[in-house]
Amino acid sequence: MDLLLTQLATGLALGSIYVIVGLGLSLIFGMLHVVNFAHGAFFMVGGYVGVFVFAKTGNFWFSLVAVPLVVGVIGMAVERVLIRPLYGRNIDDPLLLTFGLSYIFVEVIRITFGLEGIPFGTPRELRGAVDIGVGFIPLYRIFLVALTAAILIALWLFLEKTSYGLIVRAGARDPEIVRVLGIDISRVWLFVFGLGTGIAGLAGFLSAPIQSVNPDMGVPVLAEAFVVTVVGGMGSLVGSVVAGLLVGVVVSITSLFAPDMARVSIFILMAVVLLVRPQGLFGRKGAMG
Amino acid sequence: MKSEKKTIAGISRRNLLASAAAVAALPVLPSMPYITRAAAQDTGPIKIGFPVPLTGPFATEAQDQVRAAQLAVKEFNDAGGANGRQCELLVRDDKLNPGEAATRTLELIEKDNAHFICGTLSAAVQLSVNNVTKARGVIYVSISQSDKISEASDASPVTFHEAVNPHLMSSAVARYAVGKFGKKAVCLVSDYAYGHENLRGFQRAGQPLGLEILADLRHPLGQTDYSTFLPRIAALKPEILFLANFGADLVNSVKQATDFGLKDRMKIVCPTLLYTSRIAGGDEAFEGIAGAAPFYWGIEDKIPSAKTFNDKFKAAYGGRYPSDYGAMGYSGIRQILDAVKIAKTTETKAVAAAIRALKYDYYKGPQYYRACDQQSVQSVFVLESKTKNKRNQYDVFDVVVTEAPDEKRLRTCEELGHKT
């Protein structure tokens, strides 16, 4: 029983990583209807930017702020130059573009930094494991849960309680009306794309102490982020939170009883959700046609 | 207004899923060559095909294989080649995928007219390369671990297994660790041939020493998060954790085991304690971890050929030390080229006979091929991670045991199904 509870707690901690990984993808799709196949690449770039900034400053907390900013700016440049001309065209176009882009990012990183993984330890302040009553969980993972919660609250406050958030939401619903009201919608989209990619980059940096930083680190992330987004409902933020946690718990409990099924389990979960509720747990019917 | 909304938001799910699936399938589409068959010539450059996983979780190790292989080629060419014939190394990315590796190998043989194949870095992928080379009667020198490739079902007169194998490595670890650190063990192994073969070897060598395996857990190849396994391992309270995975998987699992505080409660041992993983994981993650290796540069104090190899490698690559898997790549290429010199031809039968007869010492002390299965008989080293009193940043292991080359430590020819 204790083991089951530990496994549940581990699953929730793992789930918060999935939440933050899925968040950026969901945000960009929900607001821009762009399926960002370069999501995993932005995640990986975030890992490298973080390692680089940390090596220069030696300050984990500073890096934590710098990474989403730097990756967000890269994301905005991509939106402005490459994605913007494709708005209004078939959804395949930005999808293929970002897919190609992900290869370019990975190659650039390989050529610049090589194939070797770069070591990155857990920051000194966050080392060690904490006894949560039923077993040990690393302090760093608890920190991730708290940070994810903080990011979600900040995002929610921004989208629901600020006037710019109102514009963003309106732009997602009906860009034409927003434009008629005299608001430069393309600037909103630029910002949202930067925000989504910035969060992806932050997730990459946060995962650096857990796994090694290498050019291929974004590959599994893309698939995971898609599962979270599809299970939660394409474009639903609440959905990606619930789905992320659910995926974490499913993986965790499956690996207790059938470890070799752990990876497949999330795809089974996705298949079941698609069969029973094709729009995803929290997806709006019609958002996907 | 309506139409604007339609184009942006009115995407059909079917469309989206179809395009997403199409894009996701792109990298696995087989790029079957339009083969024009032309047999490799016994004139012109000596071509060696070198398929290795330059993408995926073993990329770091694969890159070092390429470096060391190129060093062997350069040495050969600088010395004038064989009768003026220079060597050309044809490096291909097999993406750690058996299908991709078979396709690349076929291309190398049929289209690029490679005389020999050397390479791969997976207990599973090498079997698919071997199927291709065996069917076409092309010499294949495997430079990564496998037990299966030596068994009668997979062996071939033109297949040579230069690398150590899981049986040898896991049993060396069992001999070192079982009893010394306790007898109760949990095994966490990568769920493919490498993990399975190591688990079998560890179990078999541990049994007479009183080893009791509390659980064997399997994780998929390329797993990034191990958190769901670790609390369970802690709850089983083993004295030893036998961790049989490779490359990035090894780095990630060791890092996370450290975070979960597992090392305070048990000794972690690995059948292959990779130099590249040790460097990528850092001191803190690997502190206290022991394991076996086919090579570590630090043996140069005792073994002259290791010193020569290290110096050549460092001179070629700006002071970088060679890794274990790199060293096997060097040896694989060099033995082919030495055999070509001896045979004075690239003709398969003559070169294979020359390799079979080699008694060589390229980087780790004496080696030779056992007659029945063409497995290289060689030494194995047991290492403990070193975090203090390091000579330099690359000084990461203490060699605690050296097992000399001995056919008795391999499975017998009869057991492998060879007629004697």
Side-chain angles (χ1 to χ4, degrees), chain B residues 182-246:
Chain B
K183 289 180 177 172
K184 279 188 253 171
V186 169
C187 303
L188 178 60
V189 308
S190 195
D191 195 9
Y192 75 108
Y194 173 80
H196 304 162
E197 290 178 350
N198 272 301
L199 177 62
R200 183 182 63 191
F202 183 65
Q203 228 161 356
R204 186 166 144 172
Q207 219 167 23
L209 302 166
L211 173 69
E212 183 193 343
I213 292 183
L214 303 174
D216 73 85
L217 309 172
R218 295 161 191 223
H219 71 76
L221 175 61
Q223 172 115 351
T224 47
D225 197 290
Y226 294 84
S227 65
T228 56
F229 292 101
L230 303 172
R232 183 171 176 199
I233 294 172
L236 286 163
K237 298 196 170 53
E239 291 152 322
I240 296 171
L241 172 61
F242 179 73
L243 184 63
N245 54 16
F246 199 92

Side-chain angles (χ1 to χ4, degrees), chain A residues 3 6-7 10 14 17 29 32-33 35 37 88-89 91-92 95-96 99 103 110 114-122 127-129 136-138 141 173-177 179 189 208-212 214 216 220 224 230 234 251-252 255-256 259-260 263 274 278-279 286-289, chain B residues 1 4-5 7-17 19-21 23-24 26-27 54-57 59-60 62-64 67 93 191 216-232 235 248 251-253 255-256 259-261 265 276 279-282 284 320:
Chain A
L3 189 56
T6 324
Q7 210 70 14
T10 317
L14 178 63
I17 299 175
F29 181 79
L32 273 60
H33 302 287
V35 181
F37 256 71
R89 285 167 57 173
I91 190 160
D92 294 348
L95 188 152
L96 288 169
F99 179 69
Y103 273 77
R110 284 169 161 233
L115 297 175
E116 273 94 358
I118 298 177
F120 192 83
T122 312
R127 279 182 200 169
F136 288 87
I137 295 220
R141 295 207 181 223
R173 295 278 287 270
D174 201 328
E176 196 66 9
I177 286 285
R179 202 171 280 155
W189 286 343
I210 295 177
Q211 49 166 293
S212 61
N214 63 66
D216 295 320
E224 287 161 1
V230 170
M234 297 291 286
V251 170
S252 183
S255 58
L256 184 60
D260 22 358
R263 188 184 282 177
L274 281 176
Q279 71 271 33
M288 291 295 304
Chain B
M1 182 191 117
E4 166 83 0
K5 200 173 173 197
T7 44
I8 295 199
I11 311 134
S12 88
R13 165 169 295 271
R14 188 181 297 270
N15 260 346
L16 172 68
L17 287 182
S19 13
V23 168
L26 271 180
L54 290 168
T55 41
T60 309
Q63 202 182 32
D64 216 54
R67 281 192 199 101
D93 185 1
D191 195 9
D216 73 85
L217 309 172
R218 295 161 191 223
H219 71 76
L221 175 61
Q223 172 115 351
T224 47
D225 197 290
Y226 294 84
S227 65
T228 56
F229 292 101
L230 303 172
R232 183 171 176 199
V251 177
N252 292 340
S253 54
K255 271 178 110 166
Q256 292 168 36
D259 275 351
F260 272 81
R265 283 168 272 168
T276 30
I279 295 287
E284 189 206 344
R320 168 194 286 274

Side-chain angles (χ1 to χ4, degrees), chain B residues 147-408:
Chain B
D147 282 339
K148 183 88 171 67
I149 200 166
S150 311
E151 293 173 11
S153 56
D154 288 66
S156 135
V158 290
T159 299
F160 296 87
H161 196 246
E162 159 61 20
V164 284
N165 62 34
H167 178 82
L168 200 57
M169 302 283 275
S170 56
S171 58
V173 168
R175 281 187 286 273
Y176 172 66
V178 178
K180 187 177 168 89
F181 303 107
K183 289 180 177 172
K184 279 188 253 171
V186 169
C187 303
L188 178 60
V189 308
S190 195
D191 195 9
Y192 75 108
Y194 173 80
H196 304 162
E197 290 178 350
N198 272 301
L199 177 62
R200 183 182 63 191
F202 183 65
Q203 228 161 356
R204 186 166 144 172
Q207 219 167 23
L209 302 166
L211 173 69
E212 183 193 343
I213 292 183
L214 303 174
D216 73 85
L217 309 172
R218 295 161 191 223
H219 71 76
L221 175 61
Q223 172 115 351
T224 47
D225 197 290
Y226 294 84
S227 65
T228 56
F229 292 101
L230 303 172
R232 183 171 176 199
I233 294 172
L236 286 163
K237 298 196 170 53
E239 291 152 322
I240 296 171
L241 172 61
F242 179 73
L243 184 63
N245 54 16
F246 199 92
D249 292 2
L250 175 60
V251 177
N252 292 340
S253 54
V254 158
K255 271 178 110 166
Q256 292 168 36
T258 305
D259 275 351
F260 272 81
L262 249 50
K263 288 197 299 202
D264 305 336
R265 283 168 272 168
M266 63 198 75
K267 176 80 179 177
I268 301 182
V269 294
C270 310
T272 308
L273 186 53
L274 291 166
Y275 172 75
T276 30
S277 293
R278 171 68 184 80
I279 295 287
D283 280 356
E284 189 206 344
F286 275 87
E287 188 165 18
I289 294 185
F295 171 79
Y296 166 57
W297 69 263
I299 61 172
E300 67 177 19
D301 299 341
K302 297 210 177 90
I303 298 168
S305 61
K307 172 101 178 87
T308 317
F309 169 60
N310 290 338
D311 290 347
K312 281 191 286 204
F313 191 93
K314 282 193 285 182
Y317 297 107
R320 168 194 286 274
Y321 283 85
S323 71
D324 30 40
Y325 270 68
M328 294 195 286
Y330 173 81
S331 182
I333 296 292
R334 187 166 155 189
Q335 65 190 249
I336 293 174
L337 294 173
D338 277 2
V340 169
K341 272 191 200 164
I342 296 165
K344 299 192 173 59
T345 169
T346 46
E347 194 269 316
T348 303
K349 255 195 171 152
V351 176
I355 297 179
R356 233 169 269 140
L358 281 177
K359 301 269 181 252
Y360 56 108
D361 177 2
Y362 296 152
Y363 75 103
K364 66 182 293 188
Q367 284 178 263
Y368 67 92
Y369 280 104
R370 180 162 75 168
C372 69
D373 60 349
Q374 309 199 137
Q375 162 66 45
S376 175
V377 182
Q378 57 190 298
S379 50
V380 168
F381 307 91
V382 178
L383 313 172
E384 281 278 358
S385 276
K386 177 176 185 177
T387 49
K388 294 181 189 79
N389 307 321
K390 290 161 76 172
R391 274 187 278 175
N392 58 44
Q393 64 182 107
Y394 308 106
D395 183 17
V396 290
F397 294 126
D398 282 318
V399 181
V400 288
V401 177
T402 302
E403 291 199 338
D406 187 350
E407 285 188 29
K408 285 198 209 78

Side-chain angles (χ1 to χ4, degrees), chain B residues 102-123:
Chain B
T103 309
R104 295 282 91 83
T105 306
L106 201 60
E107 260 177 17
L108 282 164
I109 296 171
E110 306 274 359
K111 195 162 140 259
D112 302 314
N113 300 324
H115 296 91
F116 312 103
I117 301 290
C118 176
T120 72
L121 209 182
S122 153

Side-chain angles (χ1 to χ4, degrees), chain A residues 34-97:
Chain A
V34 167
V35 181
N36 182 16
F37 256 71
H39 187 72
F42 281 108
F43 175 91
M44 178 270 301
V45 169
Y48 275 88
V49 170
V51 167
F52 183 77
V53 173
F54 184 79
K56 290 278 172 223
T57 62
N59 187 330
F60 179 75
W61 307 102
F62 177 77
S63 315
L64 210 56
V65 178
V67 169
L69 290 177
V70 174
V71 179
V73 167
I74 299 174
M76 283 159 96
V78 166
E79 198 273 351
R80 181 68 193 85
V81 180
L82 299 171
I83 313 245
R84 189 170 294 182
L86 303 181
Y87 288 139
R89 285 167 57 173
N90 195 317
I91 190 160
D92 294 348
D93 295 5
L95 188 152
L96 288 169
L97 177 113

